[in-house]
């Protein structure tokens, strides 16, 4: 890692794209609660007071797509007409159909639900074995969402963060600047907003990661000046437009597809989770300080057609020893990952904000003994 500075961003749970991701994964969870073998490929689009749910499913469940979508939107705080996107009045179009028989016949026998390549990554920059910039960015957006409920109730749904970290010899040494964007009640002046965010959001997050606090002048808030109304009225959203936010903040390569709305047969999701599990366990076992794992699949085929491990010169053992460990820690067939990581449970809506990796409670984050 030869960068002197590295930047990552994250978005709040009420960001338009994340609204869509959470609706898509809420549908998946609803299906899995009834039928753990459900197949889904569900995507959403949101714009001014409108929600479109589309895609394909094969399930014994009978999800109420409209009800699911409205509940997600309500829980994210879109409860006022002033937002021009309201859970009560938004028009909901449901355009979901049965899964293609050509896909189903390959998936039903344990084959991959699509082709593609996936990457997993881990490093020693944080205790979560994740890059520091993306972990800081996620915690800043999570903290902004937390303070909206009590400490800073004048904040409104939506928001973004961006963090610049300086590096020396491949290791993070300091946070150089923080960028926050969040809509708010226009009665609040920009100086108050900036000071409140500095005190209630930036300071506690940097402290959590043992980072020296930046100067107030290094915090940029709402770069264009004012921001009163966020959400789909300001910018339409779609499922799957935040794959870098969802993964490693740009520090590692990304595969070709998003995660949300896709059941475990879809290797865009399952393969990425399996690759993260292996990469994290390689670093946790002190076999390397940084590790990236790549896998690739063909639709209908059970096993990956290629797999590789890269440790960027940080390996502590021979490449063969690292690879032997990697391929022994998890069966990378589609069913091997699903069973090994226990993926047929309704756990996915929780993944759809603040990143899929570096968080407690998900099976792909476990360390093997």
């Amino acid at each position: 890692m030869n960068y002197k500075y590295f930047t990552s961003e994250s978005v709040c749970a009420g960001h338009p794209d994340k609204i869509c991701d959470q609706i898509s994964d809420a549908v998946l969870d609803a299906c899995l609660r009834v039928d753990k073998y459900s197949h889904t490929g569900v995507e959403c689009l949101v714009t001014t007071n409108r929600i479109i749910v589309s895609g394909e499913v094969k399930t014994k469940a009978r999800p109420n797509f409209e009800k699911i979508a409205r509940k997600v939107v309500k829980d994210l705080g879109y409860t006022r007409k002033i937002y021009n996107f309201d859970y009560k009045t938004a028009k909901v179009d449901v355009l979901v159909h049965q899964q293609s028989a050509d896909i189903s016949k390959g998936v039903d026998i344990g084959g991959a639900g699509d082709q593609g390549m996936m990457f997993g990554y881990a490093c020693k920059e944080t205790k979560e074995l994740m890059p520091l910039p993306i972990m800081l960015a996620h915690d800043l957006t999570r903290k902004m969402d937390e303070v909206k409920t009590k400490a800073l109730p004048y904040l409104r749904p939506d928001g973004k963060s961006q963090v610049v970290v300086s590096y020396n010899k491949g290791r993070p040494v300091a946070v150089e600047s923080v960028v926050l964007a969040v809509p708010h009640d226009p009665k609040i002046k920009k100086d108050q907003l900036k000071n409140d965010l500095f005190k209630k959001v930036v300071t506690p997050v940097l402290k959590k990661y043992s980072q020296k606090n930046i100067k107030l002048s290094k915090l940029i808030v709402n770069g264009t000046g004012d921001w009163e109304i966020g959400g789909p009225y300001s910018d339409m959203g779609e499922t799957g437009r935040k794959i870098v936010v969802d993964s490693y903040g740009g520090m590692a390569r990304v595969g070709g597809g998003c995660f949300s709305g896709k059941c475990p047969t879809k290797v865009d999701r399952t393969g990425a989770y399996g690759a993260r599990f292996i990469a994290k366990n390689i670093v946790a076992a002190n076999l390397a300080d940084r590790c990236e794992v790549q896998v690739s699949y063909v639709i209908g085929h059970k096993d990956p057609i290629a797999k590789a491990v890269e440790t960027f010169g940080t390996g502590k053992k021979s490449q063969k020893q690292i690879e032997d460990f990697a391929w022994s820690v998890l069966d990378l067939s589609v069913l091997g990952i699903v069973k090994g990581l226990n993926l047929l449970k309704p756990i996915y809506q929780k993944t759809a904000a603040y990143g899929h990796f570096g968080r407690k409670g998900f099976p792909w984050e476990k360390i093997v003994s």
Side-chain angles (χ1 to χ4, degrees):
M1 218 287 275
N2 297 317
Y3 293 102
K4 182 177 180 181
Y5 300 103
F6 198 90
T7 304
S8 291
E9 71 160 349
S10 184
V11 296
C12 291
H15 183 278
D17 295 330
K18 283 293 149 195
I19 297 171
C20 295
D21 287 345
Q22 288 168 93
I23 292 172
S24 295
D25 275 337
V27 170
L28 170 58
D29 284 351
C31 292
L32 291 176
R33 287 189 188 98
V34 175
D35 177 8
K36 68 178 183 178
Y37 298 112
S38 296
H39 300 167
T40 68
V42 176
E43 299 191 12
C44 299
L45 181 151
V46 294
T47 186
T48 303
N49 222 32
R50 189 158 188 174
I51 304 166
I52 299 173
V53 184
S54 64
E56 42 96 7
V57 301
K58 179 185 178 184
T59 180
K60 295 177 182 177
R62 295 292 181 266
N64 185 325
F65 298 100
E66 179 176 345
K67 184 177 180 181
I68 290 169
R70 291 193 190 280
K71 184 179 187 305
V72 169
V73 172
K74 178 182 179 182
D75 291 346
L76 290 172
Y78 288 97
T79 58
R80 301 173 61 190
K81 290 184 179 180
I82 192 175
Y83 299 149
N84 298 301
F85 184 75
D86 174 64
Y87 83 99
K88 288 183 178 180
T89 62
K91 182 179 179 182
V92 180
D93 296 318
V94 178
L95 306 171
V96 179
H97 59 83
Q98 287 293 306
Q99 183 180 57
S100 162
D102 291 335
I103 296 175
S104 183
K105 69 182 181 183
V107 172
D108 287 343
I109 60 171
D114 205 346
Q115 70 176 47
M117 71 291 184
M118 303 86 212
F119 294 91
Y121 183 80
C123 62
K124 290 187 175 181
E125 292 184 16
T126 64
K127 63 182 178 61
E128 297 88 359
L129 302 185
M130 286 283 289
L132 178 62
I134 189 62
M135 292 306 293
L136 288 170
H138 284 323
D139 264 27
L140 288 165
T141 53
R142 184 185 290 107
K143 195 68 176 177
M144 279 199 293
D145 283 343
E146 287 177 6
V147 300
K148 286 172 186 174
T149 58
K150 289 185 180 181
L152 304 179
Y154 62 77
L155 300 182
R156 293 173 171 178
D158 204 351
K160 304 178 76 171
S161 71
Q162 186 169 295
V163 183
V164 179
V165 175
S166 59
Y167 281 76
N168 184 22
K169 297 181 179 179
R171 295 186 179 277
V173 293
V175 175
E176 298 294 328
S177 65
V178 171
V179 179
L180 299 178
V182 61
H184 61 92
D185 188 317
K187 295 178 182 177
I188 303 301
K189 301 301 182 183
K190 187 172 182 179
D191 285 347
Q192 180 185 342
L193 174 66
K194 183 174 181 177
N195 280 288
D196 285 349
L197 290 174
F198 186 79
K199 180 180 178 181
K200 299 292 186 180
V201 176
V202 175
T203 299
V205 168
L206 295 189
K207 183 178 180 181
K208 175 184 174 181
Y209 283 90
S210 301
Q211 296 298 311
K212 183 179 179 181
N213 204 13
I214 61 171
K215 295 180 180 179
L216 184 62
S217 61
K218 293 294 185 179
L219 170 63
I220 301 172
V221 175
N222 290 350
T224 61
D226 298 320
W227 190 15
E228 297 178 9
I229 306 296
Y233 173 71
S234 296
D235 187 12
M236 66 162 284
E238 294 179 289
T239 300
R241 288 207 299 187
K242 288 291 179 284
I243 59 175
V244 174
V245 170
D246 286 341
S247 53
Y248 306 98
M251 188 72 77
R253 285 166 281 204
V254 296
C258 73
F259 306 148
S260 291
K262 297 178 180 178
C263 68
T265 69
K266 302 289 189 181
V267 284
D268 281 331
R269 174 168 235 158
T270 304
Y273 290 168
R276 163 64 178 172
F277 180 78
I278 293 172
K280 184 174 183 179
N281 275 279
I282 287 172
V283 174
N286 203 34
L287 298 177
D289 291 339
R290 293 176 62 216
C291 180
E292 186 178 75
V293 174
Q294 181 189 12
V295 291
S296 59
Y297 294 86
V298 174
I299 189 169
H301 290 224
K302 298 178 181 180
D303 296 300
I305 60 170
K307 54 188 180 181
V309 178
E310 172 61 63
T311 57
F312 308 97
T314 70
K316 309 295 180 65
K317 300 289 184 179
S318 71
Q319 184 69 14
K320 183 180 185 304
Q321 288 174 301
I322 294 173
E323 290 179 353
D324 286 346
F325 175 85
W327 314 140
S328 69
V329 79
L330 182 66
D331 175 0
L332 282 171
S333 69
V334 178
L335 287 181
I337 300 174
V338 170
K339 291 179 179 179
L341 299 183
N342 198 17
L343 297 182
L344 298 180
K345 292 186 175 182
I347 59 174
Y348 297 102
Q349 187 180 349
K350 293 179 182 178
T351 69
Y354 318 122
H356 291 243
F357 306 119
R359 299 169 59 192
K360 294 180 180 179
F362 296 129
W364 49 89
E365 292 297 317
K366 292 181 179 178
I367 306 285
V368 296
S369 57

